[in-house]
Each structure stands twice: as C-alpha cells, then as structure tokens.
Amino acid sequence: MLDDAALDQIFRQARTHNAFSGEVTDAQLRALWDLMKFGPTTANSQPARIVFVRSREAKERLKPALNPGNVDKTMSAPVTAILAYDLEFYQHLPRLFPHNPAMKDAYVGEDKKQFVATVALRNASLQGGYFIIAARALGIDTGPMSGFNNALVDEAFFAGTTWRSNFLCNLGRGDPSKLFPRSPRLAFDEACKVL
Amino acid sequence: MLDDAALDQIFRQARTHNAFSGEVTDAQLRALWDLMKFGPTTANSQPARIVFVRSREAKERLKPALNPGNVDKTMSAPVTAILAYDLEFYQHLPRLFPHNPAMKDAYVGEDKKQFVATVALRNASLQGGYFIIAARALGIDTGPMSGFNNALVDEAFFAGTTWRSNFLCNLGRGDPSKLFPRSPRLAFDEACKVL
C-alpha cells in the first residue's frame, strides 16, 4: 500500500488549480505518457490522443473555444493538454491486441459507429483519469476543464481527421492562493452498495 | 514526485489480473471510495455509482450477462464491482457544486438527454480511472472488463432506476502465474503531439 504522503499527493490533498506558473518540459510530457500508457483499456485499445498546447500560436487557436471563465487561466498556463480520442482507434488493434487479431472486426462498419464512439469515450476518459493521476504523481499540478466548445476545438485542431476532443487540462505549478474551497464529495452510502 | 516503488505499483508493474483469491473487506471498499472520490469531475458532478457484488446470490444474478471468457474469473473473484453512473447525477449539483447552484439547469430537460449521457459517461469513466489506480494504491489487484452485456446488467441490477452500467472490475489478490504477457503500448509520438 502506498504511504500517506503519496496518497495525499495523488488523491487526498491534490486539487484542481485555477492559476499556473512555471514550465513543463518535453521530458515531463514524455514521462507523463510513459506512466499513463500502462493503464488498462478495453482490448488494450488506447483510444486517447493528446495535443499538448504550449506555443503562443496554438494557444491563440484554442482561445475562441474556451468558456469566458477559462480563458485567463488557460492562456497563462505553461501547457494546456487537449485530451482527445481517435474514432479509428481500432485500426491499431491487430498490433495492440495480439491475443486476438480478429478483435478489430468488432468495430468495423457503419452499424458499429455508435458503439465505437461509446468505447472511445469510455476508454479515453479512463485514460484521462490515468493522465490526471500520473501528472500529480510526477509533481505536475492539473486543472481539468469541460468548459469549452468541443466542436470549435475539433475544427481548429482536428479538421479532416478522426480525432475528437474530450476535455482540456492545464498543466504547471498551481498557485495554492487561488484555489476555491474544496467542494463536498458523495458519501460511500450515497454512491456505493455492497450486495 | 512519487518514488519508483509507488509508480511501479500504480502504473508500471500493475497488471490486469485474470485469477483472484483472498478477501476484500468492507473496510477496504470504503477506503477505496474515500480515495477515488477526491478525483476531479465536471462541476464536481461525481456521476459514478458502484455496486460491489460479493454474495453468491448477487454473483449468480451477474453471471448471465458475462461473456463466456469472463465467467470463471468473475464468479471466483472475492468482489466484482459494477462501475455504473446515475443519469440523474445533476439532481445533486446544488449541494455538490455550491459555487454555482444554477449549474443544475444546464442538465434539465428532454433536449439535454444526449448531453447528460455524454457527461455521465465521460466523468464516470474518469472516476473509473481513479477507481483502478486507487485500488492498486491500496494493494488491491484489479481486473477491469468490458466483456459483458450492459443491457442485461442494467435489467438485473438497475431496473426502474436511473443507474446504468459502465464496466466491471474484479477485485482481490491476483495470481501472477495466470497473467497474459503485457501487450504493447502506443509510443509518445503515435499518441501525442506538442504544438
């Protein structure tokens, strides 16, 4: 079992930050992928894709898609990750799931499109959870956000591709003085049952 | 930053297990929730719900929904978690998101049903990621599975409610001798871009 300091760092004391400074290096971004990639996904499908937005030009491309309350913190964050997924993730299954090279067939075809979209969203979001925890484990503060226009991000970054945006996440060194008070969590007996 | 032993335990050496023994106590299940509950969700919505299936009776209710390859490991696992979500998660927002009590209104209405379902799946799956990592952090081995019939699970466990199944996860002490070889992961440059 992890010690208290580690559990505090990845869960109990970790917070969603609203103001960031510092720098996030390419080496840190690679280390982040090299942790989160090990998290399990359906048939090892790994549908998540990530665009790390760091340059001024790319930040300006992102800006029109942001809800007003998310503009300042995103424009000033060292890096903003676009957590996305590839709707054609299944093309890689023969390599990624060598136990059963026929697994790809379960996803091919017009009548499978809704199923494919569900599997992509489910598993890319699972990987989003791994991403947030892996960042925290590496000492990178996170600010995940759903407050943006997915269609505008897709147009600005993924036009003509099969990638689609899922959520955004600012990365950097969080400013503890800009945190909101922590909001309440559901109690075990509200969210869970043991049968 | 977490030390190598901790990173190994939650990511690098952790595996999806196929055979389980041991016991998972109620205290462990509560500890698991009390870690994963801190993971961030859209507007602190926390749509995930969990049914921990431990009794013989409840396992037998689950059995008909399982793909043949998942029956033996699930029936013999100490606990099988049904990771689910509540499609009416937004009813709790006035309490869970006190910053903005009007947030609930964004989810109410017939025309919001598709949006609500997407937010529920996205965030419950994020919480699924927290669940898997939290279990590993507590020393509980995991075996997440999508290989089952969601509609049958919903009928058997959630009839007449707004809860819907997302994925299953066996919990217990994994048997390392029953592991498959680890499947390949996408390289950084296949899944990520830095702009």
Side-chain angles (χ1 to χ4, degrees), chain A residues 29 33 48-52 163, chain B residues 187-194:
Chain A
L29 299 179
W33 176 255
R49 303 292 182 266
I50 308 176
V51 176
F52 294 106
W163 293 24
Chain B
F188 180 88
D189 294 316
E190 294 178 291
C192 305
K193 292 178 192 181
V194 184

Side-chain angles (χ1 to χ4, degrees), chain B residues 74-123:
Chain B
T74 301
M75 294 305 284
S76 62
V79 169
T80 303
I82 304 173
L83 280 286
Y85 50 85
D86 185 352
L87 284 171
E88 293 202 3
F89 66 86
Y90 53 83
Q91 302 288 2
H92 301 278
L93 283 179
R95 174 166 59 107
L96 298 180
F97 198 61
H99 308 309
N100 180 2
M103 183 61 85
K104 175 181 165 183
D105 302 339
Y107 298 96
V108 177
E110 200 54 41
D111 57 320
K112 302 287 172 51
K113 277 199 184 307
Q114 185 52 52
F115 172 64
V116 164
T118 297
V119 172
L121 180 60
R122 173 183 295 128
N123 284 281

Side-chain angles (χ1 to χ4, degrees), chain B residues 59-71:
Chain B
K59 282 284 189 81
E60 290 293 339
R61 250 201 291 163
L62 184 57
K63 192 175 177 182
L66 301 171
N67 286 11
N70 288 331
V71 170

Side-chain angles (χ1 to χ4, degrees), chain A residues 37 95 166 185 190, chain B residues 37 95 122 166 185 190:
Chain A
K37 73 181 181 184
R95 175 167 59 108
N166 188 10
R185 296 309 198 259
E190 293 178 290
Chain B
K37 72 181 181 186
R95 174 166 59 107
R122 173 183 295 128
N166 188 10
R185 295 309 197 261
E190 294 178 291

Side-chain angles (χ1 to χ4, degrees), chain A residues 2 33 37-38 42 44 46 50 52 54-55 95 122 137 146 166 184-186 189-191 193 195, chain B residues 2 30 33 37-38 42 44 46 50 52 54-55 95 122 137 146 166 184-186 190-191 193 195:
Chain A
L2 265 57
W33 176 255
K37 73 181 181 184
F38 288 119
T42 300
N44 196 36
Q46 307 169 61
I50 308 176
F52 294 106
R54 179 199 276 142
S55 68
R95 175 167 59 108
R122 173 183 295 128
S146 287
N166 188 10
R185 296 309 198 259
L186 293 172
D189 294 317
E190 293 178 290
K193 292 177 191 183
L195 297 181
Chain B
L2 265 58
R30 285 176 180 269
W33 175 256
K37 72 181 181 186
F38 287 118
T42 300
N44 196 36
Q46 305 168 63
I50 309 175
F52 293 107
R54 179 198 275 140
S55 68
R95 174 166 59 107
R122 173 183 295 128
S146 287
N166 188 10
R185 295 309 197 261
L186 292 172
E190 294 178 291
K193 292 178 192 181
L195 297 183

Side-chain angles (χ1 to χ4, degrees), chain A residues 126-165:
Chain A
L126 264 178
Q127 290 182 279
Y130 309 145
F131 172 94
I132 290 169
I133 304 296
R136 292 168 169 185
L138 293 171
I140 303 167
D141 289 320
T142 62
M145 296 173 287
S146 287
F148 69 100
N149 185 312
N150 288 73
L152 286 183
V153 169
D154 293 350
E155 226 177 273
F157 290 89
F158 305 133
T161 78
T162 53
W163 293 24
R164 296 292 180 274
S165 59

